[in-house]
Amino acid sequence: MKKPAIILLTLTFLTNICLSQKPKHTFALGDSTFILDGKPFQLISGEMHCTRIPRAYWRDRMRSAKAMGLNTIGTYVFWNAEEPEEGKFDFTGNNDIAEFVRIAKEEGLWVILRPSPYACAEWEFGGYPWWLLKDKNLKVRSKDPKFLKYYHDYITQLGKQLSPLLVTNGGNILMVQIENEYGSYGEDKEYLDINRKIFRESGFSGLLFTCDGPSQMPRGYLPGYLPAVNGLDDPKQVKTLINKYHDGKGPYYIAEWYPGWFDSWGSAHNTSNMEDDAKKLDEVLSAGISINLYMFHGGTTRGFMNGANMSRKDPYSPQTSSYDYDAPLDEAGNPAPKFYKFREVIEKHLAPGEKLPPVPAKHETISINKIGLNNWTCPIYDLKAPVIAKHPLSFEELNQGYGFVLYRTTLKNAVNGLLKIKQMRDFATVYINNEFVGQLDRRLKQDSIVVHTDAPNAVLDILVENNGRINYGPYLIDNRQGITEKVTLNETELTGWKMYKLPFKNLAAFKGDIANKGPYDLKPNLMFGNFTLNKTGDTYLDMHDFGKGFVFVNGHNLGKYWDIGPQQTLYLPGCWLKKGQNTIVVFDELKINHHNIGAIDHPILDEVVKN
């Protein structure tokens, strides 16, 4: 071999070695601050979730985070998104959490990872997969061996995706949270330590931490690990609390600071006082405390993934699809006035000579005039094969997670009396011989309705919707859906049920059914339309004339709407629209005779309608 060739091979070999060795950082706990590469480091973080933001917009949202002055992104990982079916993991598309983290690194942002199997986050079942509920005896968030096996398997798979991205491996993940606000639920330190072991065994080396509200921290922290606090922003109180549970020292981290709040169906839109928020942010940063804004950018809870709250004092309360959260970056990724106010505060705390990048321009929006809904089908008019059982079966017993189930039985004789559904979850519409009788709403503790028919052998249909499993509080473990106990008529149990599964994962099953099957005025209704665009942009479907349901555009489930508000629009990202022909499908279970739908250039999130 000639000398030049040897030199070339040597240089290539050395280059490959250099490229394979990622630069590693150090991240540690100091007595009062975090220490990054040997120097004090203050986390100025904002929460975003990859599943709530179209993948095409991830980088854009992160650039906005940088422009407001954030140096870190905080993010949950939702187990039920990453393992939608038992043993079938999906780290693709909007679930590609590793790519989300890598893009953050490319944009110069660190990441605080919150992959605890329990997330809360106004997300269906707090992030737990629905299929855990198929086993009536399995208890989530406990030392139940069956639960722990599923938990371990999931974190093992997550570790394969994310452990290479830890800061000690050359990545940008600084810390990893084990469990989440556990003190609001339990106080088993052995269970918390099992969490720690599972994360370690799955490759999550480096710093681990917990977070809890101030009164919950004694129950929820794990001795020896950093206890972060949620919902407290008085600097003196933050330091006193963390000192108490962390050997008299810091660093001090507010893992969730709330410059906004989420919305629930039928309740007023939540906002916060921007001036008060900015003052608090300045006080926290001036005290050297690290902070994570929950949320910096909320986005949208699409599909059927909204959660619900319920306590011993408060009734069941499902959350809206919009997760705007009155955050600095609004649902569509545009800076709100709060964004600029916070940017001013953060600029005061920059190192000498450091400057923030310019604020990205507001995204272009479009309006769409009347889109014709020219074809329709009634899902309960032409059903597929049922599951037959003597007693009603829950969603979980039917091997279904989300959507709707139609429960059908025959009333042999003429009836006039009280129909009662024991433990109905969560919203139902009732029909006799395809005639709409009324609706039942778990929010309002409605479980009974008077029914009447003179006809023998009348068909009773009860269409039940999963309106969102509980994501927080003591009822987390009581989350089975559908008709979970029994149905009685004048106190006599009805038996002999046919159950038709309507998960609406996609609408392929209905594509052949758009030849206008069933009367157009029959509830519920699936309506189909097409529309042509010359240009694309973000837009908002105006749902004022509709009742309750969901919308698909070009195959994307945009989320739920409900005429009670406060949300009256559905955000439609421009990246999901096409120049040329687009498709839309609207499902409405309460209102009929829709012939068109339009889209406007702004959201409406603050109109509550009392029915």
Side-chain angles (χ1 to χ4, degrees):
M1 184 180 295
K2 295 183 179 179
K3 193 172 183 180
I6 296 173
I7 294 172
L8 181 61
L9 284 172
T10 302
L11 288 173
T12 301
F13 176 72
L14 292 173
T15 299
N16 287 338
I17 290 177
C18 292
L19 289 174
S20 66
Q21 293 177 340
K22 298 178 181 177
K24 294 184 179 181
H25 298 272
T26 60
F27 187 69
L29 306 180
D31 287 345
S32 60
T33 66
F34 293 106
I35 305 296
L36 178 64
D37 294 336
K39 298 178 181 178
F41 180 71
Q42 185 175 27
L43 293 165
I44 308 177
S45 176
E47 187 92 4
M48 297 192 294
H49 306 143
C50 63
T51 45
R52 284 180 158 134
I53 308 165
R55 182 176 176 132
Y57 289 163
W58 287 351
R59 191 179 298 275
D60 169 83
R61 305 318 193 236
M62 292 177 185
R63 288 178 176 172
S64 291
K66 287 281 288 186
M68 198 181 83
L70 303 184
N71 56 31
T72 305
I73 295 297
T75 188
Y76 280 127
V77 187
F78 300 126
W79 183 0
N80 54 13
E82 310 290 4
E83 192 182 1
E85 298 179 52
E86 180 184 343
K88 295 182 179 179
F89 295 91
D90 180 10
F91 295 107
T92 65
N94 254 53
N95 298 331
D96 192 349
I97 181 62
E99 180 63 12
F100 185 77
V101 171
R102 282 190 287 264
I103 291 174
K105 183 179 181 182
E106 291 169 4
E107 294 301 323
L109 290 161
W110 302 100
V111 169
I112 301 297
L113 189 71
R114 311 213 289 154
S116 162
Y118 171 70
C120 185
E122 293 69 59
W123 190 266
E124 226 270 350
F125 199 10
Y128 287 123
W130 70 269
W131 46 262
L132 291 173
L133 296 166
K134 291 197 290 185
D135 184 343
K136 286 185 178 181
N137 297 316
L138 184 148
K139 187 177 180 182
V140 301
R141 218 175 185 188
S142 77
K143 293 181 289 190
D144 180 340
K146 290 178 288 187
F147 167 69
L148 291 177
K149 179 190 180 301
Y150 289 128
Y151 175 1
H152 188 279
D153 291 348
Y154 163 61
I155 297 297
T156 298
Q157 293 299 319
L158 199 64
K160 293 176 182 178
Q161 297 286 319
L162 294 173
S163 62
L165 305 179
L166 296 169
V167 64
T168 48
N169 294 329
N172 56 324
I173 298 174
L174 297 177
M175 289 197 301
V176 176
Q177 179 182 301
I178 55 170
E179 250 294 351
N180 182 58
E181 298 179 326
Y182 178 66
S184 68
Y185 180 82
E187 54 183 336
D188 187 338
K189 300 299 183 186
E190 183 182 359
Y191 166 72
L192 282 174
D193 195 54
I194 290 171
N195 280 256
R196 178 194 64 81
K197 291 176 181 176
I198 289 173
F199 275 88
R200 289 298 192 219
E201 290 169 2
S202 300
F204 288 99
S205 57
L207 293 181
L208 304 177
F209 74 102
T210 61
C211 72
D212 288 282
S215 64
Q216 302 158 355
M217 190 174 286
R219 293 156 50 92
Y221 87 105
L222 182 63
Y225 292 83
L226 179 68
V229 65
N230 291 352
L232 186 66
D233 53 18
D234 180 279
K236 184 177 179 180
Q237 292 178 9
V238 169
K239 290 185 177 182
T240 299
L241 184 70
I242 292 177
N243 283 338
K244 183 176 181 180
Y245 297 104
H246 197 233
D247 299 327
K249 58 185 179 182
Y252 309 103
Y253 180 42
I254 302 171
E256 292 186 13
W257 176 63
Y258 307 116
W261 200 246
F262 61 88
D263 287 342
S264 298
W265 290 114
S267 299
H269 175 55
N270 282 300
T271 60
S272 68
N273 186 292
M274 177 176 67
E275 299 296 332
D276 291 347
D277 290 340
K279 183 174 181 292
K280 282 294 183 183
L281 179 61
D282 192 24
E283 290 174 358
V284 167
L285 296 182
S286 296
I289 294 172
S290 290
I291 194 168
N292 180 50
L293 284 67
Y294 192 101
M295 301 288 298
F296 164 69
H297 171 52
T300 310
T301 309
R302 295 183 180 84
F304 303 132
M305 300 310 292
N306 67 284
N309 276 355
M310 186 173 174
S311 70
R312 292 184 176 92
K313 294 181 180 179
D314 300 314
Y316 172 79
S317 178
Q319 291 117 16
T320 61
S321 292
S322 171
Y323 204 60
D324 178 87
Y325 219 90
D326 193 35
L329 206 66
D330 71 14
E331 182 178 7
N334 295 305
K338 195 178 289 184
F339 177 101
Y340 295 97
K341 197 71 179 178
F342 289 1
R343 176 181 159 98
E344 290 175 12
V345 170
I346 294 171
E347 279 186 312
K348 292 167 50 180
H349 297 274
L350 296 177
E354 186 179 357
K355 290 185 178 181
L356 296 181
V359 178
K362 185 177 179 180
H363 303 102
E364 185 175 2
T365 58
I366 62 172
S367 298
I368 307 173
N369 291 328
K370 297 179 180 179
I371 300 167
L373 300 173
N374 301 317
N375 294 290
W376 66 88
T377 185
C378 177
I380 68 172
Y381 188 79
D382 186 21
L383 294 161
K384 311 306 179 189
V387 176
I388 299 173
K390 181 177 180 180
H391 303 285
L393 302 177
S394 69
F395 276 45
E396 293 75 17
E397 289 168 318
L398 292 167
N399 197 32
Q400 179 175 326
Y402 315 109
F404 299 72
V405 169
L406 181 72
Y407 295 83
R408 172 173 289 176
T409 192
T410 300
L411 306 175
K412 294 182 180 179
N413 303 308
V415 298
N416 183 25
L418 188 68
L419 182 77
K420 182 180 178 66
I421 307 175
K422 188 174 182 182
Q423 295 298 335
M424 184 274 297
R425 315 281 181 79
D426 301 299
F427 188 89
T429 46
V430 182
Y431 311 82
I432 293 181
N433 288 338
N434 285 340
E435 292 288 333
F436 178 75
V437 175
Q439 66 192 50
L440 301 173
D441 187 346
R442 185 182 180 191
R443 292 180 316 120
L444 306 177
K445 298 185 178 180
Q446 296 171 340
D447 64 358
S448 306
I449 191 170
V450 174
V451 296
H452 172 78
T453 178
D454 294 324
N457 297 316
V459 176
L460 170 67
D461 283 332
I462 306 172
L463 181 66
V464 181
E465 175 188 2
N466 169 1
N467 222 5
R469 288 184 179 87
I470 296 163
N471 60 261
Y472 181 83
Y475 296 105
L476 185 73
I477 58 175
D478 182 16
N479 250 327
R480 295 165 76 80
Q481 288 291 312
I483 298 177
T484 61
E485 291 198 25
K486 63 182 179 180
V487 182
T488 60
L489 181 59
N490 292 331
E491 299 186 353
T492 298
E493 183 176 1
L494 297 178
T495 57
W497 292 92
K498 295 179 179 179
M499 286 150 286
Y500 300 86
K501 303 192 319 186
L502 296 165
F504 294 115
K505 277 186 180 179
N506 57 61
L507 301 179
F510 298 99
K511 285 182 178 178
D513 292 344
I514 60 174
N516 305 340
K517 291 188 177 182
Y520 191 52
D521 60 355
L522 188 66
K523 302 176 187 179
N525 225 327
L526 272 169
M527 295 148 283
F528 300 77
N530 297 290
F531 59 102
T532 302
L533 295 177
N534 295 320
K535 70 172 185 176
T536 63
D538 287 349
T539 192
Y540 303 84
L541 294 174
D542 186 352
M543 308 308 300
H544 275 100
D545 295 333
F546 292 77
K548 187 178 194 301
F550 56 85
V551 179
F552 275 75
V553 173
N554 292 334
H556 297 278
N557 188 336
L558 304 184
K560 300 177 182 179
Y561 66 88
W562 197 350
D563 58 2
I564 62 175
Q567 178 182 348
Q568 299 291 349
T569 53
L570 276 173
Y571 169 53
L572 172 51
C575 62
W576 290 349
L577 291 169
K578 300 178 289 187
K579 288 183 179 180
Q581 190 175 81
N582 297 264
T583 62
I584 185 169
V585 185
V586 182
F587 175 81
D588 197 334
E589 57 188 299
L590 295 182
K591 293 184 179 179
I592 56 177
N593 291 326
H594 302 298
H595 296 282
N596 55 67
I597 186 173
I600 56 180
D601 62 1
H602 62 279
I604 300 174
L605 302 176
D606 56 358
E607 289 185 12
V608 176
V609 178
K610 299 296 183 182
N611 292 335

